[in-house]
Amino acid sequence: MTEKPLPKAASPEHLTAALRKSSIDVRVSDVVVESSHPTILSEITRLRPVYDGDAVGAPPTIILKTGRPDRLGDANWDAGRQEVAFYNGVAAAKPGQQLLRCFEAAWDADTRAWHLLLEDLTDTHFIATAWPLPPTMEQCETIVRARARFHAAWWDEPRLGETVGAWQDDATMSQNLKGFEERLAQFSDRFGDRLPLERRQLYRRLIDTGLRLHTHHRSHRNMTVVQGDSHVWNNFLPRDGGDDVRLFDWDCWRVDVAADDLAYMLAMHWYPDRRRRMEQPLLDCYHAALLESGVKGYDRGSTVRRLSPGGSLAGHHADWAGDVEYSAADLVEQSRAHIPGRG
């Protein structure tokens, strides 16, 4: 069997240059591939560099994340671009902050090839469960506290919408809603009467009231950097039981209200009975962590109200009265399909 050639980013010369740019003065003489596996949007390869001489402070292993080779050059495939921008802009501006260390993030606009060289936490961290099993309440609390600390670090930061991300104006929101409406029509045609009338009506209300429900964007207040794809399996939890959670997979990041990340975590992947039991305690936990991290003027009720206008969690808004619970996840996923830059 012929071994698949490694990308240039995995060569000893390239790794040497990338590590030196990260202030790690070493020379890589060889590279061993420990493992490699594809995901829906990327390929993940664990590399073990072989160093010449003393390599104090050098990472024993590195994660290389690249685009899928079968998508290389596809003009309709945009995965990776946003994540590269995140590590070069957001993460570089405030290193640490519950993130993986990134040694290099690169995107080629001509070929659409991209890669990330990331800190490898395989030996010290783990993902709480295998999808779709939900984490324990304790693990969820650890995750939302970490998310609150990250949100707080960028809360109403002056660079938001200027050098970090962009504000969503009414024109952009209208374009997103139009795309949502077109995708919904395709979805409805495909599934016919398997999509109940009540759900169609619910989606229609979302489209008709979408601009009004997003008026909070106009004030540019109580905004932060959100992950977007913020489900519980995009978090590394520390094996020692501490609070060193790392958030990863940032290809859907944007400037938005923090509650969007909470809504996606709580509404997308849990059955209604579990969400009813855990939602309020987790919102309390999140809000307390926000305050502890220095956010001011954002009361507990604001967290709940912000969950409602996005249409993500049921039960808090008059426009969403009725049989909402079973379709909340569908609404979030359909809405997120039209976020610019999503791969």
Side-chain angles (χ1 to χ4, degrees):
M1 180 191 260
T2 304
E3 286 190 10
K4 182 171 61 177
L6 283 174
K8 179 183 176 182
S11 69
E13 297 77 15
H14 193 99
L15 289 178
T16 296
L19 291 171
R20 287 178 177 176
K21 286 179 184 176
S22 298
S23 301
I24 302 174
D25 190 14
V26 294
R27 180 179 179 276
V28 179
S29 58
D30 197 6
V31 180
V32 177
V33 176
E34 298 258 310
S35 62
S36 183
H37 68 273
T39 70
I40 296 175
L41 301 179
S42 62
E43 290 213 1
I44 308 296
T45 304
R46 191 184 192 211
L47 306 173
R48 183 173 293 278
V50 177
Y51 299 105
D52 277 353
D54 193 8
V56 175
T61 53
I62 296 173
I63 296 297
L64 170 64
K65 183 176 182 179
T66 62
R68 291 176 59 103
D70 56 326
R71 292 284 188 168
L72 190 62
D74 186 344
N76 297 315
W77 189 252
D78 216 17
R81 178 178 62 85
Q82 279 280 90
E83 190 164 22
V84 168
F86 174 85
Y87 280 107
N88 283 334
V90 180
K94 294 193 177 188
Q97 302 300 339
Q98 314 295 151
L99 303 175
L100 299 175
R101 183 178 183 183
C102 181
F103 304 109
E104 185 175 71
W107 159 270
D108 188 314
D110 294 327
T111 65
R112 309 185 84 78
W114 62 277
H115 71 265
L116 302 170
L117 292 171
L118 298 168
E119 177 182 15
D120 178 19
L121 299 181
T122 303
D123 296 333
T124 58
H125 289 67
F126 69 104
I127 295 174
T129 66
W131 183 88
L133 297 176
T136 65
M137 184 64 168
E138 181 181 2
Q139 289 170 333
C140 289
E141 289 173 343
T142 300
I143 290 170
V144 298
R145 281 195 295 267
R147 193 164 299 285
R149 290 193 292 272
F150 177 83
H151 286 163
W154 283 99
W155 200 272
D156 286 344
E157 226 268 5
R159 285 174 284 189
L160 295 181
E162 301 294 332
T163 59
V164 173
W167 299 118
Q168 295 185 55
D169 56 20
D170 284 357
T172 301
M173 188 58 62
S174 295
Q175 182 180 1
N176 291 345
L177 288 169
K178 184 176 183 295
F180 181 11
E181 186 170 16
E182 292 170 352
R183 193 68 66 89
L184 175 60
Q186 297 170 3
F187 185 78
S188 300
D189 289 344
R190 179 179 178 185
F191 287 95
D193 61 6
R194 286 174 290 180
L195 182 65
L197 177 62
E198 307 89 87
R199 291 199 185 192
R200 294 171 189 257
Q201 292 172 336
L202 185 61
Y203 296 146
R204 185 70 259 169
R205 292 204 299 277
L206 171 63
I207 293 167
D208 291 343
T209 60
L211 280 180
R212 180 174 64 80
L213 295 177
H214 284 81
T215 55
H216 53 279
H217 282 275
R218 296 171 188 160
S219 71
H220 297 172
R221 291 186 62 251
N222 293 324
M223 305 290 277
T224 187
V225 173
V226 300
Q227 185 176 14
D229 196 14
S230 53
H231 57 69
V232 295
W233 302 280
N234 275 344
N235 302 270
F236 286 127
L237 301 179
R239 295 185 186 277
D240 64 6
D243 61 1
D244 183 27
V245 178
R246 307 295 184 90
L247 315 177
F248 67 92
D249 198 346
W250 289 90
D251 208 34
C252 296
W253 78 277
R254 64 190 180 280
V255 176
D256 210 323
V257 291
D260 184 88
D261 272 348
L262 295 178
Y264 193 70
M265 172 182 164
L266 301 179
M268 272 296 296
H269 301 279
W270 293 351
Y271 287 114
D273 59 335
R274 182 176 182 81
R275 194 177 72 243
R276 278 193 298 268
R277 186 171 68 253
M278 298 176 68
E279 180 178 305
Q280 295 304 319
L282 288 176
L283 293 181
D284 290 337
C285 179
Y286 172 83
H287 184 253
L290 268 187
L291 299 185
E292 290 170 6
S293 300
V295 172
K296 301 183 185 303
Y298 192 75
D299 60 29
R300 169 63 170 73
S302 297
T303 307
V304 174
R305 287 192 296 274
R306 284 296 185 242
L307 286 169
S308 305
S312 302
L313 290 181
H316 298 305
H317 198 285
D319 288 336
W320 298 89
D323 297 330
V324 174
E325 283 191 299
Y326 62 88
S327 57
D330 298 326
L331 284 170
V332 179
E333 180 60 23
Q334 288 289 338
S335 299
R336 283 169 42 75
H338 303 285
I339 296 168
R342 187 181 185 196

